[in-house]
Amino acid sequence: MFSYIFYLEGTVEILMGASGYLQATYWDGTQDDYGTRIHDTTMGSVHTHVVNYKVDLDVGGTANSVQTIDLVQEDVNFPWFDEDDPPTKQLRLQKTWVENETSFSVQGNNNGQRVLLIGNKEKKNAWGQERMYRIMPGYHTIHNAVKGSARLLNSAKWGEDDVFIVKHKDTEPSSSTTWNQQMPIYPPVDFSKITTPAESIDQEDLVVYLNLGMHHVPRAEDTPNTLFTDSRSSFFIAPFNYFDDEPSRDIRNAVLLVQDLNSGKYEVAESGTGDGEKTCTPRADLTPAYIGQIDTDLSSSE
C-alpha cells in the first residue's frame, strides 16, 4: 500500500506498507539462524524489502545545494568556572555544505543526530536563514544489509545506502528497470554510473533517490498474511526555514474556540471577525501565480 499524505504546514509524508502471503520454505531445525518456524513444517526466511523513490525537489528554484547538520557533543569552559570545575558537556550544530554527489545515512549515528537539507543558498527567509526542505526518516528508512551479493551484482546499487543525492539529468530518468534482475552483470540501468564520477551538487538542479522498506524477520503472526502494523516504512519532506513561521495559519476556514470561564461552554469565533485580531486570523490572501508554486504575500494582513 502506497500513501502520500499532505500536511497543512507544508510537510509531505510518503508511506509504504507491505502485506501478503509469505514465500515460505520447508522448516528444518538446522536453519534456525535464518528464519522462523511459523507452522508445522513451514519456515519464513529472513529477507529485506527495499523500494527506491526518485524525488525531484526544486526549492526556491532549480539551483539547489545540500547541507547536513550533525548534532555533536562538545566540552566548554566558561569564564565564570572555578579552576577545578569540569567543562560543561553540551550539543553543538555542525553544519556542512556537501560539495559533490554522494550517499547518506539519514540517521547519522543511528540516534537521529543528523538533519539532511536541500535548498537554495541564495534564497533567505525573513530571518536570514536559507530556505530549505528537510529529508527526514519516518518508519524503517533502510538500505540493503547484504552488499556484494552474486544475485544482485550491479543491478541494485541504489539499495546500498539510505539516500543518494545527484545532479539532475534528462538522460537518467530512473534508478533501475524491470530488466535489471535478468541482467545483473550488465544491467540496462547501472546506478553506479549515475553516482560515479561524483559531480558537483553546489547550486545545481538536484535529484534525491531514497529507499523505503523493511528487514523482514518473519513471525507466527505473519500467517496467513504479513501484518501492516510494523511493516510500514516512510519518509518526510518537511519545510526547514522555508517559511517565516508556521504557514497553516493561512487556512481560510480556520476557527478559534473561545471558552467562557463562567459557564465552561465554547464559542466558535470565525477568523477575521469581531474586534481585534484573532490568533488564527489568516494573514493574507493567496495569490496564484504561474511560477510552479503558490506565491504568498505575507507582508500584511487585511
Side-chain angles (χ1 to χ4, degrees):
M1 180 179 70
F2 299 90
S3 301
Y4 299 87
I5 305 169
F6 297 86
Y7 294 93
L8 296 177
E9 91 295 353
T11 295
V12 180
E13 180 182 6
I14 292 84
L15 176 67
M16 182 195 75
S19 185
Y21 294 118
L22 282 173
Q23 186 174 350
T25 57
Y26 183 79
W27 165 252
D28 183 336
T30 63
Q31 301 296 307
D32 194 45
D33 289 340
Y34 306 100
T36 306
R37 183 182 183 184
I38 56 176
H39 213 272
D40 292 336
T41 59
T42 307
M43 168 183 171
S45 300
V46 61
H47 58 282
T48 297
H49 299 273
V50 186
V51 177
N52 189 246
Y53 283 80
K54 179 181 180 180
V55 182
D56 189 354
L57 288 176
D58 295 328
V59 184
T62 57
N64 284 178
S65 297
V66 177
Q67 185 182 62
T68 58
I69 302 178
D70 290 298
L71 279 67
V72 298
Q73 178 179 305
E74 68 175 1
D75 295 341
V76 178
N77 289 296
F78 293 102
W80 54 85
F81 282 8
D82 292 332
E83 291 184 359
D84 56 348
D85 286 342
T88 293
K89 297 183 181 297
Q90 62 184 32
L91 288 176
R92 178 172 60 85
L93 301 179
Q94 182 174 286
K95 301 180 180 181
T96 305
W97 290 104
V98 180
E99 296 182 359
N100 297 314
E101 295 174 330
T102 187
S103 62
F104 300 88
S105 168
V106 292
Q107 295 285 357
N109 64 352
N110 295 322
N111 192 36
Q113 291 179 220
R114 169 166 294 167
V115 178
L116 178 59
L117 303 172
I118 297 179
N120 192 327
K121 288 181 178 179
E122 305 301 324
K123 300 294 180 69
K124 308 291 180 68
N125 68 6
W127 322 118
Q129 302 295 314
E130 289 87 0
R131 297 175 62 208
M132 312 284 276
Y133 257 74
R134 180 180 183 181
I135 305 294
M136 186 169 64
Y139 302 106
H140 297 161
T141 303
I142 67 162
H143 56 271
N144 193 356
V146 177
K147 297 184 179 181
S149 167
R151 293 184 179 181
L152 295 178
L153 295 177
N154 299 318
S155 65
K157 293 293 185 180
W158 46 265
E160 294 187 352
D161 213 334
D162 297 339
V163 177
F164 296 83
I165 301 181
V166 300
K167 184 187 298 186
H168 175 274
K169 293 180 181 178
D170 291 336
T171 55
E172 299 170 349
S174 65
S175 60
S176 185
T177 73
T178 56
W179 296 105
N180 272 33
Q181 60 182 338
Q182 276 79 38
M183 304 174 67
I185 300 177
Y186 302 108
V189 176
D190 185 344
F191 188 73
S192 65
K193 295 181 180 179
I194 295 178
T195 58
T196 306
E199 299 183 62
S200 170
I201 54 174
D202 181 40
Q203 292 298 90
E204 298 283 355
D205 191 1
L206 303 181
V207 170
V208 180
Y209 290 96
L210 191 146
N211 291 317
L212 293 184
M214 68 169 181
H215 302 300
H216 193 179
V217 180
R219 55 183 174 169
E221 290 80 5
D222 285 333
T223 57
N225 281 304
T226 298
L227 295 177
F228 267 126
T229 316
D230 60 355
S231 68
R232 291 175 293 173
S233 180
S234 64
F235 66 92
F236 296 86
I237 304 172
F240 195 94
N241 294 321
Y242 186 84
F243 301 100
D244 297 335
D245 55 20
E246 204 272 288
S248 69
R249 293 172 57 204
D250 291 317
I251 298 173
R252 301 304 298 173
N253 62 347
V255 297
L256 177 66
L257 295 177
V258 181
Q259 184 183 28
D260 186 300
L261 298 181
N262 295 320
S263 66
K265 295 182 178 180
Y266 285 89
E267 175 188 353
V268 177
E270 294 186 5
S271 59
T273 62
D275 297 330
E277 182 181 349
K278 303 297 185 181
T279 57
C280 61
T281 301
R283 296 163 296 185
D285 292 330
L286 294 178
T287 303
Y290 191 69
I291 56 173
Q293 61 183 5
I294 295 297
D295 184 18
T296 309
D297 181 5
L298 304 180
S299 59
S300 64
S301 178
E302 299 180 357

